[in-house]
Amino acid sequence: MKFHLAINMERIDGSLDMKDVARHTLEMVQMADAGGFGIAWAAEHHALEMTIAPNPFSILAWWAQHTNNIRLGTAVIAAPYWHPIRAAGEAAFVDLISGGRLEFGIGSGAYQREFDRMRPGLKQTDAWRYMQEMLPVIRALWQGDHAHEGEFWSFPASTSCPKPVQTEVPVWVAARAPITYDYAVRQGCNIQSWPLTRDMGEARLYMQRLEEALANHPGARRPVMAMMRHTAVYDRKEDWMVPVRAAQRQLSQFENLFRNLGDVENGFPKAIPFDQLGNRAEYDPEMLHRNLMFGTPDEVIAKLKDYQAIGVDAFIYYASLGLGLAEQKRSLELFCNEVIPAFA
């Protein structure tokens, strides 16, 4: 099993200085680079302090100058917010300056709140059509001159400047729905999946969708299947509620965004009080501890073996969950020193 790191510059409230957050994020990526992680992933989100990532390519360019071996990926660019020529050029530039370390992840976008600001009038449920139109265009632009007449973009012959260093840039799509698994297999893309806070049944469902897509396309290359979970490793079993409380707080802010309540002040979504949640079972402490990648090194190794057993190729360590900066670093240190060697 391979290991990836997903990390955001993140502020749950205004108590952290942005300079400290930025320095911490880079240091975490450097720890992952030295500790055996294969890829570091940067997201795209707008006008939100809990995920400060207005341009993942600029973040990757920053990381590239301060790392040596770890590959650098977008997880993911939101296709409706980009023009294909710009996305192709930005991606190729990162591949150039990183020495061919780019992993290109593309998706549809997450929150209706962002669409209302970045692509007004577009429903989040329709955004997958932009992603499916854009990806073949970007690949063509990386090869040379390409003219496009599509539903969402049209332009005369143009090309990506610069071109990628890699002959073939690995491409990833974020997939949960069967239609996206089918698209990934047809297009030769790797897959990032996120079961949120759900149990292993959700993970097995995603593996089933992958197998169904492969069965529908005989001879297609099997994609790399990566699965992401919020992760926190700690020294003592009795500390299990520390990451759980952090996750509960962050997830209640996510709930605000998913519902598009509009209750965001200066970039900080307000947490929904627990007694106002209709889906309280999704915030149960024991459930979160069980389903997320929380535990001592031995407990985390045992959980990861369950993912390995169902065929997951790579585990994405999602570091951003509102945990204290010192706790985040200790968690990653334990993961590098005690968890990764168990899968060597």
Side-chain angles (χ1 to χ4, degrees):
M1 178 179 278
K2 305 298 183 183
F3 297 98
H4 306 170
L5 176 72
I7 188 166
N8 306 317
M9 289 186 289
E10 169 192 65
R11 295 202 304 169
I12 300 301
D13 56 40
S15 63
L16 286 175
D17 187 284
M18 194 61 237
K19 292 179 182 177
D20 293 334
V21 173
R23 181 172 58 252
H24 167 79
T25 304
L26 177 59
E27 288 171 354
M28 289 281 282
V29 173
Q30 291 174 319
M31 287 175 65
D33 184 27
F37 280 76
I39 305 174
W41 296 103
E44 176 180 6
H45 286 291
H46 300 276
L48 292 170
E49 290 274 357
M50 63 191 302
T51 315
I52 303 165
N55 184 340
F57 296 118
S58 63
I59 294 172
L60 298 185
W62 169 44
W63 293 350
Q65 297 307 299
H66 298 281
T67 57
N68 298 311
N69 300 307
I70 197 165
R71 295 182 63 79
L72 305 166
T74 56
V76 293
I77 71 159
Y81 307 159
W82 290 81
H83 190 284
I85 296 174
R86 182 181 170 216
E90 290 262 19
F93 180 77
V94 170
D95 199 50
L96 173 66
I97 66 168
S98 68
R101 287 189 278 157
L102 176 68
E103 302 276 328
F104 182 71
I106 186 170
S108 303
Y111 312 126
Q112 188 60 48
R113 180 181 191 272
E114 286 187 332
F115 285 100
D116 293 344
R117 288 154 179 79
M118 302 299 294
R119 196 80 187 201
L122 177 62
K123 292 182 179 180
Q124 191 273 341
T125 51
D126 294 332
W128 60 272
R129 296 161 57 206
Y130 286 75
M131 186 271 287
Q132 294 201 4
E133 180 178 330
M134 177 180 277
L135 179 55
V137 176
I138 287 177
R139 281 173 156 166
L141 290 167
W142 283 338
Q143 296 302 312
D145 278 336
H146 175 73
H148 182 65
E149 290 289 336
E151 181 179 0
F152 305 116
W153 299 280
S154 296
F155 52 84
S158 184
T159 190
S160 171
C161 292
K163 300 290 191 301
V165 171
Q166 299 178 86
T167 303
E168 184 175 352
V169 175
V171 174
W172 298 72
V173 297
R176 293 183 69 196
I179 189 173
T180 315
Y181 281 88
D182 188 80
Y183 181 80
V185 170
R186 280 191 288 115
Q187 293 292 329
C189 302
N190 298 323
I191 294 172
Q192 300 164 338
S193 60
W194 186 19
L196 301 174
T197 64
R198 297 169 186 170
D199 62 19
M200 282 297 294
E202 188 79 0
R204 285 189 287 270
L205 175 63
Y206 295 165
M207 297 306 300
Q208 179 183 334
R209 288 175 177 171
L210 171 59
E211 295 306 321
E212 290 171 351
L214 286 167
N216 291 335
H217 300 282
R221 177 186 69 86
R222 187 188 188 280
V224 176
M225 181 66 167
M227 203 163 289
M228 182 169 75
R229 287 288 199 184
H230 284 98
T231 302
V233 191
Y234 38 83
D235 293 280
R236 305 182 310 161
K237 287 187 177 183
E238 54 265 37
D239 292 334
W240 71 278
M241 275 298 294
V242 174
V244 166
R245 289 192 190 100
Q248 285 177 318
R249 183 182 183 191
Q250 189 207 46
L251 289 167
S252 68
Q253 290 183 316
F254 270 114
E255 191 77 27
N256 185 322
L257 297 173
F258 281 125
R259 295 189 192 183
N260 199 25
L261 298 180
D263 197 4
V264 178
E265 184 175 339
N266 200 28
F268 294 106
K270 291 188 178 180
I272 300 175
F274 186 74
D275 60 5
Q276 296 179 20
L277 292 169
N279 54 337
R280 294 179 195 175
E282 296 183 23
Y283 295 83
D284 176 74
E286 291 186 1
M287 181 277 296
L288 291 173
H289 175 257
R290 181 174 58 253
N291 292 350
L292 302 182
M293 198 55 66
F294 294 168
T296 63
D298 286 344
E299 290 172 331
V300 166
I301 289 168
K303 288 182 179 182
L304 285 168
K305 287 185 181 296
D306 290 339
Y307 290 88
Q308 190 177 46
I310 65 173
V312 173
D313 302 298
F315 174 75
I316 304 176
Y317 176 126
Y318 191 12
S320 302
L321 61 120
L323 198 62
L325 303 188
E327 289 84 358
Q328 287 187 38
K329 282 189 173 175
R330 180 55 178 161
S331 171
L332 188 57
E333 180 182 38
L334 287 168
F335 197 93
C336 292
N337 293 341
E338 300 190 32
V339 176
I340 290 180
F343 295 88

